[in-house]
Every structure is written in C-alpha cells, then in structure tokens.
Amino acid sequence: MRTRRLAPLALLAVGSLALAACGSGGSGDGDGGGGGEALDSLSIMAPYFSTTPPEDDDPVGAKLEEVAGLGLDMQWVPNAEYGDRTNVVLAGDDIPDVMVIQQKSQGFVQTAEAGGFWDLTEYLASGDYPNLVTENPEVQEASSVNGTVYGVYRARDVVRTSLTIRKDWLKNLGLEEPTNTDELMALAKAFTEDDPDGNGKDDTYGMIIPAWGASIGTGSPYDAIEAWFGAGNVWKDDGGQLIPSFTTPEWKQALDYEKQLIANGYVNKDYATMDGSTQWNEPFLNGKGGIIIDVQSRATQLAGLFKDKDPKTYDQYVALQGNIAGPNGDFALPTPGYSGFLAVPKASVQTEDQLKQVLTALDKLSSKDAQILENNGIEGDNFTVDGGFADFDESKQEYTDLVSGSWAQIGTNVAGYEAYKPKPDTEYDAELEQERVDLQATDLEKAVFNPGAALVSETYMSNGVQLDQVIADARIQYISGQIDEAGLDAAIKQWGASGGDAVTAEMNELYGQLG
Amino acid sequence: MTAVVDVEQAGAPAPAAPPAPRRPHRRWARVVRFRWLLVMLLPGIAYFVLFRIWPMWGAQIAFKNYVPFLGIQGSEWVGWEHFADFFSNPDFPRLLGNTLILAALSLFVAFPLTIVLALLLNEVRLSVLKRTVQTLVYIPHFLSWTVVVSLTALLFAIGTGPLSSFLDGLTGTETNYLADPDWFRPLILLQTVWKSTGWGTIIFLAALASVDQEQYEAAVIDGAGRWQRTWHITLPAIRPTIIVMLILQTGEILNTGFEQIYLMSNALNRTVADVFDTYVYFTGIQQGAYSYSTAVGLSKAIVGLVLIFGTNWLAKRFNQQGIF
C-alpha cells in the first residue's frame, strides 16, 4: 500500500522539474521591476582582474552603496571570459541594470540598434550628471556606435605604448636608449650577439614577443612597430578616404622589419605560442631577453618585481622609452582612450524614470569620493593620505590588489581622474613615474588616432572577427617565413573578397556622413 | 522493496509467454503490471525532453536574424541566408577538410589502437601485471585537456622541452613543434591516443572475457598458433562490439574535441587547426553572431547524422548487424 502512494509523488517530482525549467525561461525582467516602479537596487555586471571577486559584504562595496544611495548587486565575471559572458547574458533572460561592454561586438551592436540599450547621447550632454560629462569629447565619440553614445566610457591613458629595456645591459654594452627603429634593430642585435650580461655565453636575445590573439589593432608589439613606420592606426585617412592600414606600403615595410627581427634570431623562438599573460615578464627578469614593446605600466610592474628580488639594486634594471621614430616620420600609437563602457539595457531598466535613477547612481559612483573608494580603497584601513598621494599599507596589499582589480572596473573617470595616485616609495619610483608622465605628454603630440574608431560597419559587425583573423594570421605567417609576399597579397585579396571590400565601402560612407 | 518483488513476479512470465491475440485491455494490463518500470523511465524521458528536445525550439534562430532583445518570435526571418553565407564562405572547405581529417585520424588510427591494446592486455596471463597496466593506462583519461595540453607545451617547448630537444637532436634542425602546421595533426593524434586509448579498452576487455574458452582449447589441439587464434576466434567473437563502437564513434566524428583543438591552436597552425566547433565558438560566443553560428552548428549536426546512418547502413550490408 505504501508504494502505491509514492507513485504520484514521483510523478510530481519529475513534473515539477519540468515546470521549473520552463519557468526560468519565461520571465524576462530580472530584478529591474517590470512595472516601472523605482529600482530598489542596482545590478551591475563587470569584469574583475583580481584572483577572486569581492565578497558580498565587502567594505568598499558597502561604502559605495552609501555614496550611490542605492544597493549594489554586483555580478563579477573573470576578465578572461568577459567577452563570452557578455554575449551569453545578452541572449539570456537575466539581464543586469548596468553592463560593462568591453567591445562593440555583433551581439552588442545588433541589440543596441534594435533598441535594446538606452541611447545616452542626450542625457550625458544635458549636464544633469556632472560627473558623467566627458573631458575628452573625441574619446566619447570613439566609444559611440556611429555617433550614438550607448554607454559611459571607462577612461584610460591615451598614450601607453612604450619600450621597456634592460638598463644594465645598455650600460654593459655602452649603448643608449634607441630613438628610432634602426637603432632598435641594432640594439636587438647587440642584445642577441654581444653578450650583454657578460657571462661569456650566447644565452640572450633582443626582443620578447608573446603570442597575440588573432586580431589587428589591439596594441600588440607588431601594431606598435607598424604605427611607427607610418602605417596608421587600423584605418588611415588617405586624402579623405579611409583605407585599412594593412593596405599601405608602410605596413609591408614594417612587416619586413619584423620579419628581419625574427629571421635573425633577435626575438624569442616561441613568439607564436608564448602565453603573454603569464610568461611575458619572465625572460626579462631572468636575463634572457632585454626589450619589451608594451604599455608603460609594464616598466613599473617589472621594476616592482625586481624590487621583490632585491630592494637595494632594483633601480638598475629597467629603462623606459616612449614611441620611437620610423623611417617615414615620427609617430606614436595611442590607445582608444577608453576601455569599454557602462551601458544600460532596456530589458531591465524599462522606464525613463528608472533610467534617470540609474544615471544618478552612476553619476555618484563617478564622484571623487567614489573614485577614491574604487581605485584606492578605504582611507585609514588599507591606505593613508600623505601629501596628496595614497600611502598603501603593505600588510594589506592583498586587499589593495583586490580593490584595484575589481572595484576600479566600474569607475568611469570620464570627467577626470580624482583619486589619489600611489605614493612613490623611492626616488627611482618617482623618477619612473615622472618619466611616464613626460612621455605621455611628448608622445601625445605625435599620436596617430584611428579615424574610424566610432564607425561600425554592418559587414564588419557580422564578419569582423574572421576578417581580422585573416590579416592577423597572414601577418604572423609572413613574419615567420611561412608565406612569401605573394601569399601575403593573396590573404589581403581574400580579406577583400570575403567582406573586406564591403567593410571599406561602408566605412567610407559612414566617414563621409560623420566627418 | 515491494516494488522490486512486484516487478520480478510480473517480469518472469512475460518473455516466455507466446504473443497472445491482441486485446486492448491486455495492453493496459501490461502498463499496470510494469508501472514501476515505467515510472523509473520518467526521469530519463524528462532529461531528453528538457535538455535535448526542448532546446531544439531555439534552433530556428538559424533561419532568422536573431536579436535577443527582440526575442525569437520578433526577429526577422531570413530563410537560408546564413546557410548560403556559410557554404559560400572560403572558410567552409577548409573547416570541413580539417574536421574530416582529424576525425579520420581518430577513427582509423586511434580506434584500431584501442582494439590492439585490448587484445594485448587480454593475452597477459599474469593477473597482477595485467591489472597494474590497466590501471596505469586508465589514468590519462581522468586528466583534463587543459592539463594534457600544458604537458605537451612543456614537453615540446622549442629549445627547452625534453621531447623537442630529443627530436631536434635526431633531425639536426630546430623545429617549433607547437606552431608548425605539419606537426599539429600528429600532436593532436598523439594526445588523443595517450589520453583515451586505455579507457577505450574497457568495453573490448569485457567482450573478450565472454569469448568461449573451449574454442581456444579446440584450436590449440588443432595446432593453431597464437596469431591464428586471434584472427579466427577472438576477432570474430568481438566483431559485434567493434561494429557498435565504430558506429557510435562515427556519430561523434564531427565533435572533434573542441577543448583540445582550441587550446592547441595558435596563429601559425590555424590553417590546419580550425574546425567546425572552434569556428562556432569564435563566431557565436566571442562575436555574438548567434544566428550564423547556429546555422553552422546545425549544418554540422546534419553531416553527423548522415554519417551515422551511412555507417549503420554499411554495417548492415556487410554484417547484417547494425545498432538500429
């Protein structure tokens, strides 16, 4: 008798499983409140770089909630998988109130153009949200989709490209920092062949280049060299017409230069496979390679790592040099000036009143108080203020890293960076920092901006990743000697035939409309 | 407990009874009699409905310009456009070629090796040795592809890896095995064999255990050698198992191990490394081309379906044994 009574229960269990699965597919309004009443908390999806995301009861989070006047419901996603997750979340039902959008992918642009994200152009220009008014209108323009601003961009230094060089090797060989590409080649040769570490063994090479994703115009060492040669920055304005930088003769010239670096053995042999995120510093630290083309903070980071090894002599190893001149002129490769933007999906923020509430909160989250919380942490806990600088408590370094690796990611700083800069520990640290600031000023004058940054071509949107990959792969195949010039030309031709020509035409049409 | 007894009592006479004349109430009687077996079937059915059949509703976005904000219903219908785009894309022949070559390698090299290893293990008479070897060859199965690929990267690192240094010493030239397109397929095959051969022997060993021992004794008396016994007794005895495994493998032919290939590919070997699954990942997940990548995935599924029916048909033609 007992078993008979169990049967309906078993059925019920299976049935409710089915219902539960269907149910989660049905509702679409997340926590945003479908009816249009005021939001009681703000859910934000953001990437994090720290080893773990902040806990729910994180003190910075609690203080930010006070500043924002609204509860924060953070959805942290590891940075490495952020792009993937964005596309998956956009296709799902549980869409947050605010999303950091890192790139104008097809998933984002299509959704935005279908009306899935609020057009913030007017709201940001209105001046109602003073902390969201940009200090660099060009950057805001570059972050837009064909002139429509869908998000508050996250400001970044415009000049970051630089050369980091082994200072002790320069000294050993009696050489100076290079000022042009020829000197750079000579330096790479000397670092490879002239025993810069003086150990009598042939165990060094010049430049350290890691594997780069199948993309172009993403600040790789190759992109930097091509910009120095005058190939432009992704797009080049050639007499009022946009042409892709890789169709310029300067680009090919730069590729031959890169090819020479590799063919002569001046670059690490595993340049096509080395993992840049974990292995880029090692050869520099261990005295295998002596030149890195990357962002300026690479130099600071390496100096810090040398300091961990030996705080007394660490100032001997790292020299910083900015963008150098090429054979066709003096150019610098800038960043886009932003790293993604905070956009507001309509699926969760449905009425204008709710949008205003969200913008008010974002405005407060960009205030000076909030910036200090996001970038420095909690004053009196993990840092103290000393002469306008943040003096970090070394015993709480872990928490400082957590803050800068997570909360800083929701900071926009579009109206200017107002948090404290870290206090330099030593004279050398201060020097390095000053050098950075100086280089940023001098390199900004010769920076070559991407004239097509704001333009989103329809064909590029649907085929861009594959198109970029055709060129990026052909580039490295050419440099490595796998294909010859005919093969490179064939790849560029294939790029044109599989959508590239349409992209160029569409870009020029948009360029004409906006320009 | 009562349920089990119920089933046993009900189950015993059923196979023996000759099919009675069809009467409607008979069928209901069977349903009632086997009700607990049927209830036990429900979770399985629920699984397939929820996770296999229900999601197929979404496959229709392959025929639309799907924009999540507009929903599946609201998105514009474009018919075969995405399929046409894909088949006319210069990537298509390359993807198909790469996928089929990798699949063929695993089917014609890795799969027979599993049988060979099972036969070898079966010949080992010393039980301790046999069990030890079995355990050792099972271990790689439990390592994730990330670990296997990391090991490969260490062993074959240019200039520093022990295996690459050894091979360089033999050939006298320095090769970047991890980036050389000619070495991509051998490395993939090597990894597959290392990781899955041992585990794959389990089913064959079970089949080998059930081979009638008297046949071997008779063959020995007739003077058959070890090769002859293997060829004329062992292999025919496990033929049905081989066929079933082969058909199941063919069904997996286009699922060429996304993780493994994605992790092993780089800028220099991508010409041979791109397969359907990595392409779907790049276009669909990274780029957000939902409809296009669904069309690609659907095409892949159709090719896979054709292959599995084809193999089954061939199996039936040659052996009169298929799996359905």
Side-chain angles (χ1 to χ4, degrees), chain A residues 3 7 11 21 84 87 90 105-107 110 114-116 214 269 272-273 461-462 464-466 469 473 476 480 482, chain B residues 2 36 42 46 50 66-69 158 174 176 181 266-268 270-271 274 279 281 283 285-290:
Chain A
T3 50
L11 274 170
D84 295 6
N87 283 323
L90 283 178
S105 70
Q106 182 179 358
Q110 275 191 343
K269 290 170 192 153
T273 46
M461 209 170 66
S462 58
V465 170
Q466 295 102 286
Q469 188 178 324
D473 285 354
I476 198 148
S480 74
Q482 223 180 72
Chain B
T2 36
W36 294 116
L42 283 176
L50 284 178
Y66 175 59
V67 178
F69 178 68
I158 181 166
E174 196 169 54
N176 190 355
N266 55 54
L268 287 178
R270 208 168 344 254
T271 39
D274 267 348
Y279 189 74
Y281 173 73
T283 54
I285 303 291
Q286 289 205 317
Q287 200 176 350
Y290 307 107

Side-chain angles (χ1 to χ4, degrees), chain A residues 216-238:
Chain A
I216 45 175
T218 48
S220 69
Y222 308 114
D223 293 321
I225 292 173
E226 286 146 21
W228 296 340
F229 270 74
N233 182 352
V234 187
W235 293 94
K236 191 174 179 180
D237 186 325
D238 185 38

Side-chain angles (χ1 to χ4, degrees), chain B residues 62-92:
Chain B
F63 303 95
K64 294 184 161 205
N65 263 340
Y66 175 59
V67 178
F69 178 68
L70 300 175
I72 292 178
Q73 296 304 319
S75 296
E76 177 201 3
W77 180 271
V78 295
W80 296 96
E81 191 186 299
H82 296 298
F83 291 89
D85 276 357
F86 177 55
F87 292 128
S88 63
N89 191 313
D91 286 333
F92 174 69

